[in-house]
Amino acid sequence: QVQLVESGGGLVQAGGSLRLSCAVSGNIFSINIMGWYRQAPGKQRELVADITNLGRTNYADSVKGRFTISKDNAKNTVYLQMNSLKPEDTAVYYCNLRTGHSIYWGQGTQVTVSS
């Protein structure tokens, strides 16, 4: 059974930084894509960034240059370093894993950026 456990959310002032972590347990295929999505109140869930098993990354335009996604294969953990945070980054952030024909989600972690 695959599980994704996120950590690292919290409250930060605008301009600050946070780092989110997502630890994956269980059997997953070597070919996979891990990513972070976010959902603000009243809005649809949107992709923030993702990274393939080969290390190729993809970012939403709104976070390019501010957020960095990375992973530690030995720990089966993916990270999202968020710098220069803005109030509009406030949302619940979800870890996501796509592998084989399956999609898995974490429980979500709240990120709140105050102005």
Side-chain angles (χ1 to χ4, degrees):
Q1 183 177 358
V2 176
Q3 288 189 319
L4 282 63
V5 179
E6 301 128 334
S7 60
L11 173 65
V12 65
Q13 288 189 330
S17 298
L18 283 174
R19 189 176 83 153
L20 306 182
S21 300
C22 174
V24 180
S25 60
N27 292 321
I28 63 174
F29 291 106
S30 59
I31 299 175
N32 58 74
I33 302 174
M34 297 193 68
W36 290 94
Y37 287 70
R38 67 186 180 187
Q39 187 166 19
K43 295 188 176 181
Q44 289 188 328
R45 191 172 297 188
E46 63 177 0
L47 173 68
V48 176
D50 59 25
I51 184 167
T52 72
N53 54 289
L54 298 178
R56 180 173 295 180
T57 58
N58 175 50
Y59 294 92
D61 287 343
S62 59
V63 307
K64 283 180 180 177
R66 300 188 298 123
F67 291 10
T68 302
I69 190 169
S70 62
K71 61 177 183 169
D72 184 332
N73 290 326
K75 296 181 179 179
N76 271 350
T77 300
V78 64
Y79 304 96
L80 185 68
Q81 178 66 43
M82 305 185 293
N83 298 327
S84 302
L85 282 160
K86 304 175 181 180
E88 51 263 44
D89 294 318
T90 295
V92 178
Y93 283 69
Y94 297 91
C95 182
N96 169 275
L97 167 65
R98 286 167 277 166
T99 180
H101 298 290
S102 302
I103 300 175
Y104 302 93
W105 293 94
Q107 79 283 0
T109 185
Q110 177 71 46
V111 171
T112 303
V113 184
S114 63
S115 57

